[in-house]
Amino acid sequence: MTMKNNELETKSELQEKSLFDKAVGRRSFLQYAGAGAAGIALVAAGCSKDRGYDNPTMNGATLDFKTDIGVLNYAYALEQLEAAFYIKVASAPPAAFTAAQKAYFQDVQFHEIAHREFFKKALSTAAIGSLEVDFSSIDFTSASGVLAAAQSFEDLGVSAYNGAGVRITTTDYLVLAGKIVSVEARHAAWVRDQISNGSFADLNSLTALGANNSAGLDGALTPDKVLAIAGKYVKTKINVINL
Amino acid sequence: MNILNILDEIEKVDGEIYERLSPRRSAMKDFFNVGKKISMAALPLALGSMFQKAYGQTNPSTVNDVLNFALALEYLEYNYYNHALTNSTITFPTTASNAAITTIRAHERAHVDLLKSALQISGADGYVDADFDFTAGGAFGDVFSNYQTFLKVALAFEDTGVRAYKGQAPILKGNAVLTTALQIHSVEARHASHIRQMVAASLGVALKPWISYAANGNDTGISAVDAVYAGEQNTVQAGVEINGLGGASQTQAAESFDEFLTGAAVKTIANQFIKTGKKLA
């Protein structure tokens, strides 16, 4: 594993160098154009910078954005995170939750599990492993704490799918991402309304995620930015290459 | 953000960018004009069209067709909410319900303006209130006097909008325009989620924010809008049966993935609300 990690970092460095040299080919350029300046940020959160670090475990997941497999694994990683969160909420909801809130959190839990399991099946042997999550920053006994976390996950999920769609080259996968993102947006709107009725599409509050209220646009973020935000909830090291 | 700076940046990595965009350098005058005219938010759309022209493999006109189609649907939605707010006898039961519709109207207007700008349409709107029949030939006769009827039609419009954008995504695949379209798509889904909650509250029905399972796909109980939900009962995605997957019920399996509608299906739905002479072809 150590060798593999070193090899991946080397590949990252090469990619980084070639981008700075501006010696990019046509395909890379198109990715650059699509992703904007963020395309340069190749190493996302959670990726260790200390080169000599010897990682003795099998931990670590690599998202190689060169192909659709990387994009699907990225979605798989995010769905793992969401599913783990909702499983924890649904198994022991905050005491202050209403019956309706408990029922809908059950639904959302199964939606996210379905997404997670779908990607796992679709990716088959190309799937990354199970991520280890860290929800220590969330107070699962507090209704407001759980709702705030749910809102963060859903709004981020929407921005993630919106930002990653342009990378998908297989039509069927693009449609599938579209089928999932609108469900995440429905979740996001509902959770937001639980916190503050009428905030379902408060785009002004989503500018950090790439939303633009005056144009009526929801968030959209490149994977490196999404992973930087999601990083605090993930223990597993996530390597990003070919972004 | 200056469009010419962007093109300059691109020229550093692709010296032929201008040639790709247009075989004649004199045509750059067009781009100066474009840079001045187009609003900042519409820039991704316009740039996407340019890149499509420069690098794309598909016909740019197909992208414009999608944008024009989307624009027609946004005209429909904007005029609907605007009519309800400015020229109706609807009694909104709460301040919050009025505020929500006002918010949604603002987004639809923003979408109209964004798409007009991207298509470089200046001047009057292509569709105005008088071009629509929001009663759908009488099926929703009291749409502008009965709050519940108004909500039912809004519900149909929002869920149709979500399905419509989703169906056009393959045509925009790999194009920067896709990102903007997706950003509109998820806003429509947020609207749909909220309108569903408004319907549930007003009609006292157990309608969920997400589209739930029904044998014919229509979970709303409003048979006049069956076409809007055709196929939403699907639980198989890319050959994977979601029903039972990870413990999901048939209902949760259908809920967890929204389905798309073809352009033809959307036009049939929309044309019910558009007067003769302005119907979508």
Side-chain angles (χ1 to χ4, degrees), chain A residues 22 26 29 104 107 110-111 115 117-118 155 158 162 165-166 168-169 171 174 176 178-180 182-183 185-187 189-190 192-193 197 200-201 203 210 212 214-218, chain B residues 10 13 41 55 107 110-111 159 162 166 169-170 173-175 178-179 182-187 189-190 193-194 197 208-211 237-238 242 245-247 252 255-259:
Chain A
K22 308 257 165 123
R26 180 168 154 154
F29 163 69
Y104 281 172
D107 275 356
F110 281 110
H111 301 163
H115 296 163
E117 292 304 302
F118 166 77
D155 285 338
V158 170
N162 282 351
V166 74
I168 300 174
T169 61
T171 301
L174 174 58
L176 273 159
K179 287 176 168 205
I180 291 173
S182 54
V183 174
R186 290 172 188 277
H187 293 167
W190 176 72
R192 285 179 150 269
D193 282 336
N197 185 34
F200 56 99
L203 303 177
N212 179 335
S214 63
L217 297 178
D218 210 326
Chain B
I10 293 167
V13 292
Y55 298 96
H107 291 158
H111 296 162
D159 277 333
V162 175
K166 214 187 308 294
K173 188 174 70 179
N175 192 309
L178 173 70
T179 305
L182 287 172
Q183 287 175 281
I184 296 175
H185 169 248
S186 59
V187 169
R190 288 174 186 268
S193 176
H194 189 79
Q197 294 170 73
K208 295 180 178 181
W210 29 89
I211 301 172
Q237 303 296 342
I242 308 299
L245 191 65
Q252 289 153 344
E255 288 168 357
S256 59
F257 291 79
D258 278 344
E259 302 297 320

Coordinates of all heavy atoms in Angstrom, one line a residue, chain A residues 22 26 29 104 107 110-111 115 117-118 155 158 162 165-166 168-169 171 174 176 178-180 182-183 185-187 189-190 192-193 197 200-201 203 210 212 214-218, chain B residues 10 13 41 55 107 110-111 159 162 166 169-170 173-175 178-179 182-187 189-190 193-194 197 208-211 237-238 242 245-247 252 255-259:
Chain A
K22 N 1.3 24.6 -18.4 CA 0.3 24.9 -19.4 C 0.5 24.0 -20.6 O 0.0 24.3 -21.7 CB 0.4 26.3 -19.8 CG 0.4 27.3 -18.7 CD -1.0 28.0 -18.6 CE -1.1 28.7 -17.3 NZ -1.5 29.9 -17.2
R26 N -5.8 18.8 -25.3 CA -7.2 19.2 -25.6 C -8.2 18.7 -24.5 O -9.0 19.5 -24.0 CB -7.6 18.7 -27.0 CG -8.9 19.2 -27.4 CD -9.1 18.9 -28.8 NE -10.5 18.7 -29.1 CZ -11.1 18.9 -30.2 NH1 -10.4 19.3 -31.2 NH2 -12.4 18.7 -30.4
F29 N -7.6 20.4 -21.3 CA -8.1 21.8 -21.4 C -9.6 21.9 -21.2 O -10.1 22.8 -20.5 CB -7.8 22.4 -22.7 CG -8.6 23.7 -23.0 CD1 -8.4 24.8 -22.2 CD2 -9.6 23.7 -23.9 CE1 -9.1 25.9 -22.4 CE2 -10.4 24.8 -24.1 CZ -10.2 25.9 -23.3
Y104 N -40.2 11.0 8.2 CA -39.5 11.5 7.0 C -38.0 11.2 7.1 O -37.3 11.0 6.1 CB -39.8 13.0 6.8 CG -41.1 13.2 6.1 CD1 -41.6 14.5 5.9 CD2 -41.9 12.2 5.6 CE1 -42.8 14.7 5.3 CE2 -43.1 12.4 5.0 CZ -43.6 13.7 4.9 OH -44.8 13.9 4.2
D107 N -37.6 7.8 5.9 CA -37.6 7.8 4.5 C -36.3 8.2 3.9 O -35.7 7.5 3.0 CB -38.7 8.7 3.9 CG -40.1 8.1 3.9 OD1 -40.2 6.9 4.2 OD2 -41.1 8.8 3.6
F110 N -33.6 5.7 4.1 CA -33.7 4.6 3.1 C -33.3 5.1 1.7 O -32.8 4.4 0.9 CB -35.0 3.9 3.1 CG -35.1 2.9 4.3 CD1 -35.9 3.1 5.4 CD2 -34.3 1.8 4.2 CE1 -35.9 2.2 6.4 CE2 -34.3 0.8 5.3 CZ -35.2 1.1 6.4
H111 N -33.7 6.4 1.4 CA -33.3 7.0 0.1 C -31.7 7.0 0.0 O -31.2 6.6 -1.1 CB -33.8 8.4 -0.1 CG -35.3 8.6 0.0 ND1 -35.9 9.8 0.2 CD2 -36.3 7.6 -0.1 CE1 -37.2 9.6 0.3 NE2 -37.5 8.3 0.1
H115 N -29.3 5.0 -2.5 CA -28.3 5.6 -3.4 C -26.9 4.9 -3.2 O -26.2 4.6 -4.2 CB -28.1 7.1 -3.1 CG -29.4 7.9 -3.4 ND1 -29.6 9.1 -2.9 CD2 -30.5 7.6 -4.2 CE1 -30.7 9.6 -3.3 NE2 -31.3 8.7 -4.1
E117 N -26.2 1.9 -2.0 CA -26.1 0.6 -2.5 C -26.2 0.5 -4.0 O -25.6 -0.4 -4.6 CB -27.3 -0.3 -1.8 CG -27.1 -0.5 -0.3 CD -25.8 -1.1 0.0 OE1 -25.5 -2.3 -0.5 OE2 -25.0 -0.6 0.8
F118 N -26.9 1.4 -4.6 CA -27.0 1.5 -6.0 C -25.5 1.7 -6.6 O -25.1 0.9 -7.5 CB -27.9 2.6 -6.5 CG -27.7 2.8 -8.0 CD1 -28.2 2.0 -8.9 CD2 -26.9 3.9 -8.4 CE1 -28.0 2.2 -10.3 CE2 -26.7 4.1 -9.8 CZ -27.3 3.2 -10.7
D155 N -27.6 20.3 1.2 CA -27.1 21.4 0.4 C -25.8 21.1 -0.3 O -25.6 21.4 -1.5 CB -27.0 22.7 1.2 CG -28.4 23.3 1.5 OD1 -29.4 23.0 0.8 OD2 -28.5 24.1 2.5
V158 N -26.3 18.5 -3.1 CA -26.8 19.1 -4.3 C -25.7 19.8 -5.1 O -25.6 19.7 -6.3 CB -28.0 20.1 -4.0 CG1 -28.4 21.0 -5.2 CG2 -29.2 19.4 -3.4
N162 N -24.4 18.8 -8.8 CA -24.5 19.9 -9.8 C -23.1 20.2 -10.4 O -23.0 20.4 -11.6 CB -25.0 21.2 -9.2 CG -26.6 21.1 -9.1 OD1 -27.2 20.2 -9.6 ND2 -27.1 22.1 -8.4
G165 N -21.6 16.9 -12.6 CA -22.4 16.4 -13.8 C -21.6 16.6 -15.1 O -21.6 15.7 -15.9
V166 N -20.9 17.7 -15.2 CA -20.3 18.1 -16.5 C -19.1 17.1 -16.7 O -18.6 17.0 -17.9 CB -19.8 19.5 -16.5 CG1 -18.6 19.8 -15.6 CG2 -19.6 20.0 -17.9
I168 N -19.2 13.9 -16.3 CA -19.7 12.5 -16.7 C -19.8 12.4 -18.2 O -20.4 13.2 -18.9 CB -21.1 12.3 -16.0 CG1 -21.0 12.4 -14.5 CG2 -21.6 10.9 -16.4 CD1 -22.3 12.3 -13.8
T169 N -19.2 11.3 -18.7 CA -19.2 11.2 -20.2 C -20.2 10.1 -20.6 O -20.6 10.1 -21.8 CB -17.8 10.7 -20.7 OG1 -17.5 9.5 -20.0 CG2 -16.7 11.7 -20.3
T171 N -23.9 8.8 -20.9 CA -25.2 9.3 -20.8 C -26.0 8.7 -19.7 O -26.7 9.4 -18.9 CB -26.0 9.2 -22.2 OG1 -25.2 9.9 -23.1 CG2 -27.3 9.8 -22.1
L174 N -25.1 10.1 -16.4 CA -25.5 11.5 -16.3 C -27.0 11.5 -15.9 O -27.3 12.3 -14.9 CB -25.2 12.2 -17.6 CG -25.8 13.7 -17.6 CD1 -25.2 14.5 -16.5 CD2 -25.5 14.3 -19.0
L176 N -28.6 9.2 -14.4 CA -28.8 8.7 -13.0 C -28.4 9.8 -12.0 O -29.1 9.9 -11.0 CB -27.9 7.5 -12.8 CG -28.6 6.2 -13.2 CD1 -27.7 5.1 -13.6 CD2 -29.6 5.8 -12.2
G178 N -28.7 12.9 -12.4 CA -29.8 13.8 -12.4 C -31.0 13.3 -11.6 O -31.8 14.1 -11.0
K179 N -31.3 12.0 -11.7 CA -32.4 11.4 -11.0 C -32.2 11.5 -9.5 O -33.1 11.5 -8.7 CB -32.5 9.9 -11.4 CG -33.1 9.7 -12.7 CD -33.0 8.1 -13.0 CE -33.8 7.8 -14.3 NZ -34.3 6.4 -14.3
I180 N -30.9 11.4 -9.1 CA -30.6 11.5 -7.6 C -30.6 12.9 -7.1 O -31.1 13.2 -6.0 CB -29.2 10.8 -7.3 CG1 -29.3 9.3 -7.6 CG2 -28.8 11.0 -5.9 CD1 -28.0 8.5 -7.5
S182 N -32.1 15.6 -7.8 CA -33.4 16.3 -7.5 C -34.0 15.8 -6.3 O -34.7 16.5 -5.6 CB -34.3 16.2 -8.7 OG -34.5 14.9 -9.2
V183 N -33.8 14.5 -6.0 CA -34.3 13.9 -4.7 C -33.5 14.6 -3.5 O -34.1 14.9 -2.5 CB -34.1 12.4 -4.7 CG1 -34.5 11.9 -3.3 CG2 -35.0 11.8 -5.8
A185 N -32.3 17.5 -3.6 CA -32.8 18.9 -3.5 C -34.1 18.9 -2.8 O -34.4 19.9 -2.0 CB -32.9 19.5 -4.9
R186 N -34.9 17.9 -3.0 CA -36.2 17.8 -2.3 C -36.0 17.6 -0.8 O -36.6 18.2 0.1 CB -37.1 16.6 -2.8 CG -37.6 16.8 -4.2 CD -38.2 15.5 -4.8 NE -38.6 15.6 -6.2 CZ -39.7 16.2 -6.6 NH1 -40.6 16.6 -5.8 NH2 -40.0 16.2 -7.9
H187 N -35.0 16.8 -0.5 CA -34.6 16.6 1.0 C -34.2 18.0 1.5 O -34.6 18.4 2.6 CB -33.4 15.7 1.1 CG -33.7 14.2 0.7 ND1 -32.7 13.3 0.6 CD2 -34.9 13.6 0.5 CE1 -33.2 12.1 0.3 NE2 -34.5 12.3 0.2
A189 N -34.7 21.0 0.7 CA -35.8 22.0 0.8 C -36.7 21.6 2.1 O -37.0 22.5 2.8 CB -36.7 22.0 -0.4
W190 N -37.0 20.3 2.2 CA -37.8 19.9 3.3 C -37.1 20.2 4.7 O -37.7 20.8 5.6 CB -38.2 18.5 3.2 CG -39.0 18.0 4.5 CD1 -40.2 18.4 4.8 CD2 -38.5 17.2 5.5 NE1 -40.6 17.8 6.0 CE2 -39.5 17.1 6.5 CE3 -37.2 16.6 5.8 CZ2 -39.3 16.4 7.7 CZ3 -37.1 15.9 7.0 CH2 -38.1 15.8 7.9
R192 N -34.7 22.3 5.3 CA -34.6 23.8 5.5 C -36.0 24.3 6.0 O -36.0 25.2 6.9 CB -34.3 24.5 4.2 CG -32.8 24.3 3.8 CD -32.5 25.0 2.4 NE -31.1 25.4 2.5 CZ -30.7 26.6 2.9 NH1 -31.6 27.5 3.3 NH2 -29.5 26.9 2.9
D193 N -37.1 23.8 5.5 CA -38.4 24.3 5.9 C -38.6 23.9 7.4 O -39.4 24.5 8.1 CB -39.5 23.8 5.0 CG -39.6 24.6 3.7 OD1 -39.1 25.8 3.7 OD2 -40.1 24.1 2.7
N197 N -39.5 27.8 8.1 CA -40.4 27.6 7.0 C -40.2 28.8 6.0 O -40.2 30.0 6.3 CB -41.8 27.6 7.5 CG -42.8 27.4 6.4 OD1 -42.5 26.6 5.4 ND2 -44.0 28.0 6.4
F200 N -36.7 27.1 1.9 CA -36.5 25.9 1.0 C -35.5 26.2 -0.1 O -34.8 25.3 -0.5 CB -37.8 25.4 0.5 CG -38.6 26.5 -0.3 CD1 -38.6 26.6 -1.7 CD2 -39.4 27.4 0.4 CE1 -39.3 27.5 -2.3 CE2 -40.1 28.4 -0.2 CZ -40.1 28.4 -1.6
A201 N -35.5 27.4 -0.6 CA -34.6 27.7 -1.7 C -34.0 29.1 -1.5 O -34.0 29.9 -2.4 CB -35.4 27.7 -3.0
L203 N -31.4 31.0 -1.8 CA -30.1 30.9 -2.6 C -29.1 31.8 -2.0 O -27.9 31.6 -2.2 CB -30.4 31.1 -4.0 CG -31.5 30.2 -4.7 CD1 -31.7 30.5 -6.1 CD2 -31.0 28.7 -4.6
G210 N -21.7 28.1 -4.2 CA -21.8 28.4 -5.7 C -23.1 28.8 -6.2 O -23.3 29.0 -7.4
N212 N -26.3 31.4 -6.9 CA -26.4 32.8 -7.4 C -27.9 33.2 -7.3 O -28.7 32.8 -8.2 CB -25.9 32.9 -8.8 CG -25.9 34.3 -9.3 OD1 -26.8 35.1 -8.9 ND2 -25.1 34.7 -10.3
S214 N -29.5 36.1 -7.7 CA -30.1 36.9 -8.8 C -30.3 36.2 -10.1 O -31.1 36.6 -10.9 CB -29.2 38.2 -9.0 OG -28.0 37.8 -9.4
A215 N -29.6 35.1 -10.3 CA -29.8 34.3 -11.5 C -30.7 33.1 -11.2 O -30.9 32.3 -12.1 CB -28.5 33.9 -12.1
G216 N -31.1 32.9 -10.0 CA -32.0 31.8 -9.6 C -31.3 30.5 -9.7 O -31.9 29.4 -10.0
L217 N -29.9 30.5 -9.4 CA -29.1 29.3 -9.6 C -28.8 28.6 -8.2 O -28.3 29.4 -7.3 CB -27.9 29.5 -10.3 CG -28.1 30.0 -11.8 CD1 -26.7 30.3 -12.4 CD2 -28.8 29.0 -12.6
D218 N -28.9 27.3 -8.1 CA -28.5 26.6 -6.9 C -27.0 26.5 -6.9 O -26.3 26.9 -7.8 CB -29.2 25.2 -7.0 CG -29.4 24.6 -5.6 OD1 -28.7 24.9 -4.7 OD2 -30.4 23.9 -5.5
Chain B
I10 N -7.5 31.4 -21.9 CA -7.6 30.2 -22.7 C -6.6 30.2 -23.8 O -6.0 29.2 -24.1 CB -9.1 30.0 -23.3 CG1 -10.1 29.8 -22.2 CG2 -9.1 28.9 -24.3 CD1 -11.5 29.9 -22.6
V13 N -3.3 28.5 -23.2 CA -3.2 27.0 -23.3 C -3.7 26.5 -24.6 O -3.4 25.4 -25.0 CB -4.1 26.3 -22.1 CG1 -3.5 26.6 -20.8 CG2 -5.5 26.7 -22.2
A41 N -24.1 36.4 -14.7 CA -24.7 35.1 -14.4 C -24.9 34.2 -15.6 O -24.8 33.0 -15.6 CB -26.0 35.2 -13.6
Y55 N -15.1 23.5 -29.7 CA -14.6 22.2 -29.4 C -15.6 21.1 -29.5 O -15.2 19.9 -29.6 CB -14.0 22.1 -27.9 CG -12.9 23.1 -27.7 CD1 -13.2 24.3 -27.1 CD2 -11.6 22.7 -28.0 CE1 -12.1 25.2 -26.9 CE2 -10.6 23.6 -27.8 CZ -10.8 24.9 -27.2 OH -9.8 25.7 -27.0
H107 N -37.5 33.5 -8.7 CA -36.6 32.5 -9.3 C -36.9 32.2 -10.7 O -36.0 32.2 -11.6 CB -36.6 31.2 -8.5 CG -35.9 31.3 -7.1 ND1 -36.2 30.4 -6.1 CD2 -35.1 32.2 -6.6 CE1 -35.6 30.8 -5.0 NE2 -34.9 31.9 -5.3
A110 N -35.9 35.1 -12.8 CA -34.4 35.1 -12.9 C -34.0 34.1 -14.0 O -33.1 34.3 -14.8 CB -33.8 34.8 -11.6
H111 N -34.7 32.9 -14.0 CA -34.4 31.9 -15.0 C -34.7 32.4 -16.4 O -34.0 32.2 -17.4 CB -35.2 30.6 -14.7 CG -34.8 30.0 -13.4 ND1 -35.6 29.0 -12.8 CD2 -33.7 30.1 -12.6 CE1 -35.0 28.6 -11.7 NE2 -33.9 29.3 -11.6
D159 N -43.1 19.9 -10.6 CA -42.6 18.5 -10.8 C -42.4 18.3 -12.3 O -41.4 17.5 -12.7 CB -43.7 17.5 -10.3 CG -43.5 17.3 -8.8 OD1 -42.3 17.5 -8.3 OD2 -44.5 16.9 -8.1
V162 N -38.9 19.8 -13.1 CA -37.8 19.0 -12.7 C -37.5 17.9 -13.7 O -36.4 17.6 -14.1 CB -38.1 18.4 -11.3 CG1 -37.0 17.4 -10.9 CG2 -38.2 19.5 -10.2
K166 N -34.2 17.4 -16.4 CA -33.5 16.1 -16.3 C -33.5 15.4 -17.7 O -32.4 14.8 -18.1 CB -34.2 15.2 -15.3 CG -33.3 14.2 -14.5 CD -34.2 13.3 -13.7 CE -35.2 13.9 -12.8 NZ -34.6 14.7 -11.8
A169 N -30.7 16.8 -20.1 CA -29.3 16.7 -19.6 C -28.4 16.0 -20.7 O -27.3 16.5 -20.9 CB -29.2 16.1 -18.3
P170 N -28.9 14.9 -21.2 CA -28.0 14.2 -22.2 C -27.5 15.0 -23.3 O -26.4 14.9 -23.8 CB -28.8 13.0 -22.6 CG -29.7 12.7 -21.5 CD -30.1 14.1 -20.9
K173 N -24.6 17.1 -22.3 CA -23.5 16.3 -21.7 C -22.1 16.9 -22.0 O -21.8 17.2 -23.1 CB -23.6 14.9 -22.2 CG -22.6 13.9 -21.5 CD -22.9 12.5 -21.9 CE -22.4 12.3 -23.4 NZ -22.6 10.9 -23.8
G174 N -21.3 17.1 -21.0 CA -19.9 17.6 -21.1 C -19.8 19.1 -21.5 O -18.7 19.6 -21.6
N175 N -20.9 19.8 -21.6 CA -20.9 21.2 -21.9 C -21.1 22.0 -20.6 O -21.9 21.6 -19.8 CB -22.1 21.4 -22.9 CG -22.1 22.8 -23.5 OD1 -21.9 23.8 -22.9 ND2 -22.2 22.8 -24.8
L178 N -24.4 22.6 -19.1 CA -25.0 21.5 -18.3 C -25.1 22.0 -16.8 O -26.1 21.8 -16.1 CB -24.3 20.2 -18.5 CG -24.8 19.1 -17.5 CD1 -26.2 18.6 -17.9 CD2 -23.8 17.9 -17.5
T179 N -23.9 22.5 -16.4 CA -23.8 22.9 -15.0 C -24.9 23.9 -14.6 O -25.6 23.8 -13.6 CB -22.5 23.5 -14.6 OG1 -21.5 22.5 -15.1 CG2 -22.3 23.7 -13.2
L182 N -28.3 22.3 -14.5 CA -28.4 21.5 -13.3 C -28.7 22.4 -12.1 O -29.5 22.1 -11.2 CB -27.2 20.7 -13.0 CG -27.0 19.4 -13.9 CD1 -25.6 18.8 -13.7 CD2 -28.1 18.4 -13.7
Q183 N -28.1 23.6 -12.1 CA -28.4 24.5 -11.0 C -29.8 25.1 -11.1 O -30.3 25.4 -10.0 CB -27.4 25.7 -11.1 CG -25.9 25.3 -10.7 CD -25.0 26.4 -10.9 OE1 -24.5 26.7 -12.1 NE2 -24.6 27.1 -9.9
I184 N -30.4 25.1 -12.3 CA -31.8 25.5 -12.3 C -32.6 24.3 -11.9 O -33.6 24.4 -11.2 CB -32.2 25.9 -13.8 CG1 -31.4 27.2 -14.2 CG2 -33.7 26.2 -13.9 CD1 -31.6 27.6 -15.6
H185 N -32.3 23.2 -12.4 CA -33.0 21.9 -12.1 C -33.2 21.7 -10.7 O -34.3 21.4 -10.2 CB -32.2 20.8 -12.8 CG -32.6 19.4 -12.4 ND1 -31.8 18.6 -11.7 CD2 -33.7 18.6 -12.7 CE1 -32.3 17.4 -11.5 NE2 -33.5 17.4 -12.1
S186 N -32.2 21.9 -9.9 CA -32.3 21.6 -8.4 C -33.1 22.7 -7.7 O -33.7 22.4 -6.7 CB -31.0 21.3 -7.8 OG -30.1 22.4 -7.9
V187 N -33.1 23.9 -8.3 CA -34.0 24.9 -7.7 C -35.4 24.6 -7.9 O -36.3 24.7 -7.0 CB -33.6 26.3 -8.3 CG1 -34.7 27.3 -7.9 CG2 -32.3 26.8 -7.8
A189 N -36.5 21.6 -8.1 CA -36.8 20.5 -7.2 C -37.1 21.0 -5.8 O -38.0 20.5 -5.1 CB -35.7 19.5 -7.2
R190 N -36.4 22.1 -5.4 CA -36.7 22.7 -4.1 C -38.1 23.3 -4.1 O -38.8 23.2 -3.1 CB -35.6 23.8 -3.8 CG -34.2 23.3 -3.5 CD -33.2 24.4 -3.3 NE -31.9 24.0 -3.2 CZ -31.3 23.8 -2.0 NH1 -31.9 24.0 -0.9 NH2 -30.0 23.4 -1.9
S193 N -40.6 20.5 -3.8 CA -40.7 20.0 -2.5 C -41.5 20.9 -1.6 O -42.4 20.4 -0.8 CB -39.2 20.0 -1.9 OG -39.2 19.5 -0.6
H194 N -41.4 22.2 -1.7 CA -42.1 23.2 -0.9 C -43.6 23.2 -1.3 O -44.5 23.2 -0.4 CB -41.5 24.6 -0.9 CG -42.1 25.5 0.1 ND1 -41.8 25.5 1.4 CD2 -43.1 26.4 0.0 CE1 -42.5 26.4 2.1 NE2 -43.3 26.9 1.2
Q197 N -45.4 20.4 0.2 CA -45.8 20.6 1.6 C -46.9 21.6 1.7 O -47.8 21.4 2.6 CB -44.6 21.2 2.3 CG -43.4 20.2 2.4 CD -42.1 20.9 2.9 OE1 -42.0 21.1 4.1 NE2 -41.2 21.1 2.0
K208 N -46.0 13.8 0.2 CA -44.6 14.0 0.7 C -43.9 15.0 -0.1 O -44.2 15.2 -1.3 CB -43.9 12.6 0.6 CG -44.4 11.5 1.6 CD -43.6 10.3 1.4 CE -44.1 9.2 2.4 NZ -43.3 7.9 2.3
P209 N -42.8 15.5 0.4 CA -42.0 16.5 -0.4 C -41.3 15.8 -1.6 O -40.9 16.5 -2.6 CB -40.9 16.9 0.6 CG -41.4 16.6 2.0 CD -42.3 15.4 1.8
W210 N -41.1 14.5 -1.6 CA -40.6 13.7 -2.7 C -41.7 12.9 -3.3 O -42.7 12.7 -2.7 CB -39.4 12.8 -2.2 CG -39.6 12.4 -0.8 CD1 -40.3 11.3 -0.3 CD2 -39.1 13.0 0.4 NE1 -40.2 11.2 1.0 CE2 -39.5 12.3 1.5 CE3 -38.4 14.2 0.6 CZ2 -39.2 12.6 2.8 CZ3 -38.1 14.6 1.9 CH2 -38.5 13.8 3.0
I211 N -41.5 12.6 -4.6 CA -42.5 11.9 -5.3 C -42.6 10.4 -4.9 O -41.6 9.7 -5.0 CB -42.3 11.9 -6.8 CG1 -42.3 13.4 -7.3 CG2 -43.4 11.2 -7.6 CD1 -41.9 13.6 -8.7
Q237 N -33.1 0.9 -11.6 CA -32.2 1.9 -12.1 C -31.0 1.3 -12.7 O -30.3 0.6 -12.0 CB -31.8 2.9 -10.9 CG -33.0 3.6 -10.2 CD -33.8 4.5 -11.2 OE1 -33.3 4.9 -12.2 NE2 -35.0 4.8 -10.8
A238 N -30.7 1.5 -13.9 CA -29.6 0.9 -14.6 C -29.5 -0.6 -14.4 O -28.4 -1.1 -14.1 CB -28.3 1.7 -14.2
I242 N -34.1 -1.5 -7.0 CA -33.9 -0.7 -5.8 C -34.8 -1.2 -4.7 O -34.5 -1.1 -3.5 CB -34.1 0.8 -6.0 CG1 -33.3 1.3 -7.2 CG2 -33.8 1.6 -4.8 CD1 -31.8 1.2 -7.0
L245 N -33.5 -3.1 -1.8 CA -32.0 -2.8 -1.7 C -31.7 -2.0 -0.4 O -32.3 -1.0 -0.2 CB -31.6 -2.0 -2.9 CG -30.1 -1.8 -3.1 CD1 -29.4 -3.1 -3.4 CD2 -29.8 -0.8 -4.3
G246 N -30.9 -2.6 0.4 CA -30.6 -2.0 1.7 C -31.8 -1.8 2.6 O -31.8 -1.0 3.5
G247 N -32.8 -2.6 2.3 CA -34.0 -2.5 3.2 C -35.1 -1.5 2.7 O -36.1 -1.3 3.4
Q252 N -40.2 3.6 -0.8 CA -38.9 4.3 -0.7 C -38.0 4.2 -1.9 O -37.3 5.1 -2.3 CB -38.2 3.8 0.6 CG -38.9 4.3 1.9 CD -38.7 3.4 3.0 OE1 -38.2 2.2 2.9 NE2 -39.0 3.9 4.2
E255 N -39.3 6.6 -4.4 CA -39.0 7.9 -4.0 C -37.5 8.3 -4.2 O -37.2 9.5 -4.4 CB -39.3 8.1 -2.5 CG -40.8 8.0 -2.1 CD -41.0 7.9 -0.6 OE1 -40.0 7.7 0.1 OE2 -42.2 7.9 -0.2
S256 N -36.6 7.4 -4.1 CA -35.2 7.7 -4.0 C -34.6 8.1 -5.3 O -33.5 8.6 -5.4 CB -34.4 6.5 -3.4 OG -34.6 5.3 -4.2
F257 N -35.3 7.9 -6.4 CA -34.9 8.3 -7.7 C -36.0 9.0 -8.4 O -37.1 8.5 -8.6 CB -34.4 7.2 -8.6 CG -33.1 6.5 -8.1 CD1 -33.2 5.6 -7.1 CD2 -31.9 6.8 -8.8 CE1 -32.0 5.0 -6.7 CE2 -30.8 6.1 -8.3 CZ -30.8 5.2 -7.3
D258 N -35.8 10.3 -8.9 CA -36.8 11.0 -9.7 C -36.6 10.5 -11.1 O -35.5 10.1 -11.5 CB -36.6 12.5 -9.7 CG -37.3 13.1 -8.4 OD1 -38.1 12.4 -7.8 OD2 -37.0 14.3 -8.1
E259 N -37.7 10.5 -11.9 CA -37.6 10.1 -13.3 C -37.6 11.3 -14.3 O -38.1 12.3 -13.9 CB -38.7 9.1 -13.7 CG -38.8 7.9 -12.7 CD -37.5 7.0 -12.9 OE1 -37.0 6.8 -14.0 OE2 -37.1 6.5 -11.8

